[in-house]
C-alpha cells in the first residue's frame, strides 16, 4: 500500500514583541525595520506638500481681501508648519486605528478648489472657507458611520476597482514626470506636453531626476532593500552639490512665472541659512467659522460648494486605499482592504481636521504606495510617516533639501508596480473592459482621480442598461452614477443658481 503524505498547514511565525503583535508585522510578512524604512520613503515622497500647500492656499486673498491667517501679507511659515502638524497627527491616527500603511496630508486639487473657487468668492473669508471644509468632513463622517460610504465602495465591481488602481498608477507616474519637469507644457504650445525642454533633457535638475529613476530601477531589479529610499537620498545629495557648484536657481520667480526653464521645479536644494531647526507657528489652528459662509454667500451656494467638495473627497480615498492595499497584497477576494470602515472614518476625520487647522481638507495620499513598494505592510509605516511630519514642523528647512527632481522618481517606479495589476481585468468582456479603460485613461488625462472613477461608474451603468442587464447594477451604483452626473455638471448647476 502506498501511503498518502499528510499536508501540514504552514503557521505564521509568532510575534516577537508588543509592537509586532499590535500591528501584525510578522503576520503580514514584514519587519519593524522594513516598516520604519517604508514610512520614511512615504514621507520623503509626499513631504513636498509642506512646501506646495502654502504656495497654493497661502498666496491667495479671500473675498474680504485678506490672506490666510487674516494678514495683509502671506504667512507661509505658519501654513507650512500647520500643514505638517495636521498631516502628522492624522497619519499616526490612521496607523494606530486602521493598521494600514496609508499616510494623509492636505489634498492637492482640493486645496486649489478651496483657494480659487471658494475662499476668493466675493464676501467670503478664509475662516468661512475653512468652515465649509469642516462641514464637508463631518458630513462624510456621518456617511461612514451609517455604513453608506462603505456600502457604495463594496458595490463597485472588482474589475472597476482594479482599473482604479491601474489608473492611479498611471496618474502618479504622470505626476512624477510633470513635477520633475521631465514632461512639461511646451513654450510654443504646439502640443499639450513635450519631453523636457524643447524635447531635450537640457538641464541639471532633469539629469538628477534621470539619475534617481535609473538608480531606483537598478536597485529594485537587483532586489536591494530600501531601493526607493536610497534613490531619494542619493539624488538629493547629488542635487545639493550640483546647486552648490552650478548655482542653477529656481525655474520660477516669486509670482510663479517661468523665468529659468533649466531650473529646479519647486525647491532649490540648499543648506538653510538660519539652521535646520525652527520653532513652528501653529497660529492657524482653530481659525474657521462653521456657519459664517451662509451669511456671506447664502444657503444654496453653501450646499452646492459643500457637495462639490464632498464628491471629490468621497471617492478619492476609496481609489487610493484599494491601490495601496493591492500593492501591499492586503485586499480580500472582493478587492476590499482590511478595516475598511476604520480607514474611511480616519479619512473623514482628517477632512474636518484639515479645515479646523486652516490648511484645507486632509486626505489619504497615493504616495503611500511608494512606502508599500519598499516593503511597508502595516500601520506602523503610517505612524513613522506621521512622526516624520511632526518632526518636520521643527525641521522644515531640512525638508527643503529634497527637490522634486530627487523625490519624484519614486512615483514613476511605484506607478509601474501598480499598472501591473492590469492583468486582472478581462479585456474580452467589453461590458466591464470599456468602463475600466475609461477609468484608467481619464485619471491621468484629466489630472483627477475622481473624474476617472466617475467616468468608469457612469459608463458601467449606461452599458448595463443598454444591454438589458439592469439587475446586475447594484442600487448604490445608481446612486453613485447620479452623484457623478451632478459632479460633472456642477458648473452649469452653479450658473443656474447665479453662483
Amino acid at each position: 500500500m502506498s501511503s498518502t503524505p499528510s499536508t501540514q498547514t504552514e503557521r505564521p511565525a509568532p510575534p516577537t514583541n508588543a509592537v509586532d503583535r499590535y500591528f501584525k508585522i510578522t503576520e503580514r510578512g514584514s519587519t519593524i525595520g522594513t516598516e520604519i524604512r517604508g514610512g520614511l520613503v512615504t514621507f520623503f515622497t509626499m513631504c513636498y506638500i509642506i512646501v506646495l500647500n502654502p504656495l497654493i492656499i497661502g498666496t491667495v486673498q479671500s473675498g474680504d481681501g485678506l490672506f490666510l491667517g487674516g494678514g495683509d501679507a502671506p504667512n507661509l511659515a505658519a501654513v507650512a508648519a500647520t500643514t505638517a502638524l495636521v498631516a502628522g497627527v492624522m497619519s499616526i491616527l490612521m496607523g494606530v486605528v486602521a493598521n494600514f500603511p496609508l499616510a494623509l496630508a492636505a489634498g492637492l486639487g482640493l486645496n486649489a478648489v478651496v483657494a480659487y473657487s471658494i475662499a476668493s468668492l466675493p464676501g467670503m473669508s478664509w475662516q468661512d472657507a475653512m468652515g465649509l471644509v469642516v462641514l464637508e468632513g463631518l458630513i462624510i463622517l456621518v456617511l461612514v458611520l451609517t455604513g453608506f460610504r462603505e456600502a457604495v465602495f463594496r458595490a463597485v465591481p472588482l474589475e472597476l476597482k482594479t482599473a482604479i488602481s491601474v489608473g492611479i498608477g498611471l496618474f502618479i507616474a504622470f505626476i512624477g514626470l510633470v513635477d520633475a519637469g521631465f514632461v512639461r507644457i511646451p513654450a510654443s504650445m504646439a502640443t499639450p506636453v513635450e519631453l523636457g525642454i524643447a524635447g531635450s533633457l537640457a538641464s541639471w535638475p532633469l539629469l538628477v531626476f534621470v539619475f534617481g529613476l535609473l538608480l531606483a530601477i537598478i536597485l529594485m531589479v537587483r532586489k536591494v532593500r530600501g531601493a526607493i529610499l536610497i534613490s531619494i537620498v542619493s539624488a538629493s545629495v547629488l542635487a545639493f552639490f550640483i546647486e552648490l557648484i552650478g548655482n542653477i536657481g529656481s525655474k520660477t520667480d516669486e509670482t510663479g512665472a517661468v523665468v529659468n526653464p533649466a531650473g529646479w521645479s519647486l525647491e532649490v536644494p540648499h543648506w538653510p541659512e538660519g539652521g535646520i531647526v525652527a520653532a513652528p507657528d501653529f497660529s492657524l489652528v482653530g481659525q474657521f467659522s462653521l456657519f459664517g459662509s451662509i451669511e456671506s454667500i447664502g444657503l444654496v451656494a453653501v450646499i452646492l460648494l459643500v457637495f462639490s467638495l464632498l464628491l471629490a473627497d468621497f471617492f478619492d480615498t476609496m481609489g487610493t486605499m484599494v491601490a495601496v492595499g493591492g500593492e501591499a497584497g492586503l485586499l480580500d477576494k472582493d478587492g476590499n482592504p482590511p478595516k475598511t470602515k476604520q480607514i474611511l472614518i480616519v479619512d473623514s476625520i482628517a477632512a474636518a481636521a484639515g479645515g479646523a487647522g486652516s490648511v484645507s481638507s486632509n486626505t489619504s495620499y497615493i504616495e503611500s504606495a511608494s512606502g508599500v513598494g519598499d516593503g511597508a505592510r502595516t500601520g506602523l509605516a503610517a505612524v513613522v510617516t506621521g512622526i516624520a511630519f511632526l518632526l518636520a514642523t521643527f525641521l522644515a528647512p531640512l525638508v527643503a533639501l529634497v527637490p522634486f527632481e530627487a523625490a519624484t522618481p519614486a512615483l514613476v517606479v511605484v506607478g509601474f508596480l501598480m499598472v501591473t495589476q492590469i492583468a486582472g481585468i478581462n479585456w474580452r468582456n467589453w461590458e466591464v473592459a470599456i468602463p475600466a479603460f475609461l477609468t484608467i485613461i481619464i485619471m491621468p488625462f484629466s489630472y483627477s482621480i475622481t473624474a476617472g472613477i466617475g467616468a468608469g461608474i457612469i459608463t458601467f451603468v449606461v452599458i448595463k442598461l443598454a444591454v438589458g442587464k439592469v439587475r446586475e447594477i447594484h442600487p448604490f451604483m445608481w446612486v453613485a452614477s447620479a452623484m457623478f452626473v451632478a459632479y460633472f455638471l456642477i458648473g452649469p448647476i452653479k450658473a443656474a443658481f447665479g453662483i
Side-chain angles (χ1 to χ4, degrees), residues 479-494:
V479 175
S481 295
M483 293 171 68
F484 273 117
V485 168
Y487 176 78
F488 288 130
L489 297 176
I490 196 68
I493 292 174
K494 286 182 180 179

Side-chain angles (χ1 to χ4, degrees), residues 86-97:
V86 178
V89 172
M90 298 316 305
S91 295
I92 291 172
L93 190 63
M94 178 65 78
V96 172
V97 173

Side-chain angles (χ1 to χ4, degrees), residues 53-436:
N53 197 42
L55 294 179
I56 294 175
I57 67 173
T59 57
V60 176
Q61 290 174 292
S62 58
D64 59 5
L66 299 176
F67 289 94
L68 184 58
D72 296 325
N75 186 356
L76 301 186
V79 182
T82 312
T83 297
L85 172 68
V86 178
V89 172
M90 298 316 305
S91 295
I92 291 172
L93 190 63
M94 178 65 78
V96 172
V97 173
N99 192 21
F100 199 65
L102 192 61
L104 303 95
L108 280 175
L110 283 170
N111 53 6
V113 171
V114 173
Y116 300 108
S117 300
I118 298 179
S120 58
L121 289 174
M124 284 286 283
S125 68
W126 272 108
Q127 289 87 345
D128 295 338
M130 291 303 172
L132 289 181
V133 176
V134 175
L135 279 175
E136 176 258 335
L138 294 176
I139 292 172
I140 287 188
L141 178 60
V142 171
L143 295 178
V144 172
L145 293 175
T146 57
F148 180 78
R149 191 182 190 190
E150 187 176 356
V152 171
F153 172 68
R154 294 185 182 278
V156 178
L158 177 59
E159 289 183 300
L160 266 186
K161 293 176 184 175
T162 302
I164 290 170
S165 296
V166 174
I168 291 177
L170 288 178
F171 180 56
I172 66 170
F174 188 54
I175 288 175
L177 295 171
V178 170
D179 286 350
F182 190 84
V183 170
R184 63 181 72 186
I185 300 173
S188 64
M189 303 294 288
T191 57
V193 292
E194 68 177 1
L195 174 69
I197 304 171
S200 174
L201 303 181
S203 75
W204 283 107
L206 286 179
L207 293 180
V208 168
F209 170 80
V210 172
F211 167 79
L213 179 60
L214 292 178
L215 180 60
I217 291 172
I218 291 170
L219 294 176
M220 288 182 63
V221 170
R222 294 179 64 89
K223 302 188 183 302
V224 175
R225 287 184 175 273
I228 295 176
L229 183 57
I230 292 172
S231 167
I232 294 174
V233 173
S234 300
S236 297
V237 172
L238 176 61
F240 173 78
F241 281 107
I242 286 177
E243 177 61 26
L244 186 66
I245 297 171
N247 193 26
I248 308 298
S250 176
K251 183 170 69 176
T252 59
D253 60 15
E254 294 180 354
T255 66
V258 177
V259 294
N260 177 20
W264 302 98
S265 293
L266 179 64
E267 192 66 34
V268 178
H270 65 281
W271 192 259
E273 296 178 0
I276 62 174
V277 179
D281 179 0
F282 299 139
S283 60
L284 292 178
V285 175
Q287 290 197 27
F288 69 95
S289 174
L290 198 58
F291 300 109
S293 55
I294 296 177
E295 184 177 347
S296 300
I297 60 175
L299 181 60
V300 173
V302 167
I303 291 174
L304 286 174
L305 290 174
V306 170
F307 179 68
S308 61
L309 282 174
L310 186 147
L311 277 183
D313 247 355
F314 194 93
F315 287 96
D316 266 8
T317 297
M318 293 184 176
T320 300
M321 70 181 186
V322 169
V324 173
E327 180 61 29
L330 297 176
L331 303 182
D332 61 20
K333 60 182 179 61
D334 297 317
N336 303 310
K339 293 190 174 182
T340 295
K341 188 169 187 177
Q342 287 87 335
I343 294 172
L344 295 176
I345 286 175
V346 174
D347 184 80
S348 304
I349 294 172
S358 298
V359 292
S360 184
S361 177
N362 272 229
T363 188
S364 302
Y365 259 56
I366 190 57
E367 282 86 344
S368 304
S370 62
V372 170
D374 210 51
R377 294 294 180 270
T378 76
L380 180 58
V383 171
V384 171
T385 303
I387 293 172
F389 267 115
L390 294 182
L391 291 175
T393 63
F394 297 93
L395 301 173
L398 187 61
V399 174
L401 284 172
V402 183
F404 263 176
E405 290 81 359
T408 49
L411 298 183
V412 178
V413 170
V414 173
F416 156 74
L417 295 174
M418 295 172 65
V419 168
T420 58
Q421 299 178 55
I422 200 170
I425 299 173
N426 181 8
W427 294 103
R428 295 184 178 181
N429 182 0
W430 286 12
E431 293 176 20
V432 292
I434 292 175

